[in-house]
Amino acid sequence: MKTYKNLYEKICAFDNLVFAAKKAHRGKRHRPNIAAFDFRLEKELLGLRAELISQTYHPGRYRAFNILEPKKRLISAADYRDRVVHHALCNLIEPIFNRSFIFDSYANRQGKGTHSAIQRFQEYAQKYRFVLKCDIKKYFPSIDHEILKGLIRKKVACRKTLWLIDSIIDNSNKQELVTDYFPGDDLFTPLVRRKGLPLGNLTSQFFANIYLDGLDHFCKEQLKIKGYLRYVDDFVIFADRKTDLWIILIEIKNYLESLRLVLNRNKTMSYPVTGGVEFLGHKVFPEFRRLKRDNVIRFRKHLKYWREQYQKGIFILDDLTRRIKGWIAHASFSKTYHLRQAVLEKFRI
């Protein structure tokens, strides 16, 4: 396997940092801290570059908060200058790993995304009778730091780049405690192993893809599964017989043990595709799609909250418009023209 060296100088290049800053402030440029950073952009980036070159850079603290919908999750927001570093790093290392990712890995990849994953799901639903939906229990809090670093080192051999990657991983804030035991563990093993990545980080999303890339290749190349796709920790397997799916599931459980991961029993189930299967916010049938009802209920609540924020001057019109357009784009992926009209015609600011 080819490894890559001499990456760090390119990561620290001023042009790369400028490009990273532009990517980091997309959709957020009106926030006071980001506007202040942008106002003295050259000075800020030169200071950040000096810290990176001298290896005195240290990630700041996270601002953590819980969201309750669609389920309770801890979101961790990194300081803006740290987000610039995350983009600068990913600008260089993402292409390296993307080359080896399978076609049917859809999360956080250019030209992929939720809509492409749903379309592919529907293509498979037209070819097979059953689908096995798999969900990893507490995925981000369970990602093992030692295993993740080992996977990254299979491709990255640049000492300084690895220092930066390790600094970001080691600075992960405390996540939900996960105490699953695996073969060879003693009583204290789950407590002493460092694990968990902050949900909300660009680097966390990318590292999460690296962590399960081996599973993708195991399913496609060793188990010879033709109908397989993954979006973050949600992955699905298609077959014409349920018995085939349960045999495959045993192999997958064994593989996930090597990553110290466990499937969520309540969310790992098989379904006939003809009845429609919920996937990434839509209910997908072989020939059509519907938007999930709770998605509409949640959006109506958000509209009320966003209007209040706008009226208080916390949101500007661009913020409000961007959020509404984002939902419209998501809803439009199913046949929802009249639904969208009914939801939005009552909205006034």
Side-chain angles (χ1 to χ4, degrees), residues 173-184:
N173 59 339
K174 189 175 181 180
Q175 301 294 305
E176 182 181 358
L177 181 63
V178 181
T179 54
D180 293 309
Y181 287 84
F182 299 90

Side-chain angles (χ1 to χ4, degrees), residues 292-306:
K292 288 175 62 178
R293 182 173 178 272
D294 60 354
N295 183 286
V296 180
I297 295 171
R298 188 163 60 248
F299 179 67
R300 283 183 166 137
K301 290 180 181 178
H302 287 169
L303 276 179
K304 182 179 178 181
Y305 172 75
W306 295 340

Side-chain angles (χ1 to χ4, degrees), residues 104-299:
D104 280 323
S105 170
Y106 287 90
N108 311 301
R109 297 179 66 193
Q110 190 172 4
K112 299 288 186 176
T114 56
H115 291 176
S116 296
I118 293 168
Q119 284 181 321
R120 188 65 160 171
F121 185 104
Q122 193 167 43
E123 288 175 17
Y124 284 136
Q126 292 168 356
K127 295 178 181 178
Y128 298 94
R129 295 176 59 207
F130 298 99
V131 60
L132 175 68
K133 281 184 64 181
C134 299
D135 178 88
I136 295 175
K137 173 186 170 187
K138 299 178 181 178
Y139 179 50
F140 278 85
S142 299
I143 293 175
D144 187 279
H145 290 190
E146 183 181 341
I147 295 173
L148 174 60
K149 290 176 182 178
L151 294 172
I152 292 170
R153 279 161 169 77
K154 289 183 178 181
K155 285 191 174 293
V156 178
C158 174
R159 181 178 57 81
K160 291 183 178 180
T161 301
L162 290 172
W163 165 81
L164 179 58
I165 291 170
D166 289 351
S167 297
I168 293 170
I169 294 172
D170 293 341
N171 193 64
S172 299
N173 59 339
K174 189 175 181 180
Q175 301 294 305
E176 182 181 358
L177 181 63
V178 181
T179 54
D180 293 309
Y181 287 84
F182 299 90
D185 286 357
D186 59 31
L187 181 63
F188 300 103
T189 301
L191 303 176
V192 298
R193 291 184 73 99
R194 287 288 314 272
K195 54 183 176 290
L197 295 180
L199 188 59
N201 260 11
L202 173 70
T203 48
S204 297
Q205 295 164 358
F206 181 60
F207 293 156
N209 258 355
I210 295 173
Y211 205 76
L212 286 180
D213 180 52
L215 171 68
D216 297 340
H217 287 277
F218 175 73
C219 289
K220 296 294 290 184
E221 296 161 13
Q222 295 191 41
L223 299 183
K224 307 295 183 183
I225 302 170
K226 294 182 179 179
Y228 170 92
L229 69 91
R230 179 175 64 83
Y231 189 92
V232 194
D233 62 320
D234 293 320
F235 57 98
V236 292
I237 299 158
F238 292 82
D240 283 323
R241 297 186 302 178
K242 272 192 175 183
T243 51
D244 292 341
L245 293 176
W246 297 124
I247 292 170
I248 289 169
L249 183 61
I250 293 170
E251 297 286 348
I252 287 174
K253 284 181 177 178
N254 292 335
Y255 182 89
L256 289 175
E257 279 190 359
S258 67
L259 297 175
R260 301 186 65 83
L261 296 174
V262 176
L263 287 174
N264 187 327
R265 292 182 181 180
N266 297 328
K267 294 184 179 180
T268 300
M269 301 178 68
S270 66
Y271 305 87
V273 298
T274 52
V277 181
E278 291 185 357
F279 186 63
L280 301 180
H282 294 256
K283 190 164 186 178
V284 185
F285 295 80
E287 302 300 335
F288 63 95
R289 300 181 290 268
R290 290 177 180 165
L291 190 65
K292 288 175 62 178
R293 182 173 178 272
D294 60 354
N295 183 286
V296 180
I297 295 171
R298 188 163 60 248
F299 179 67

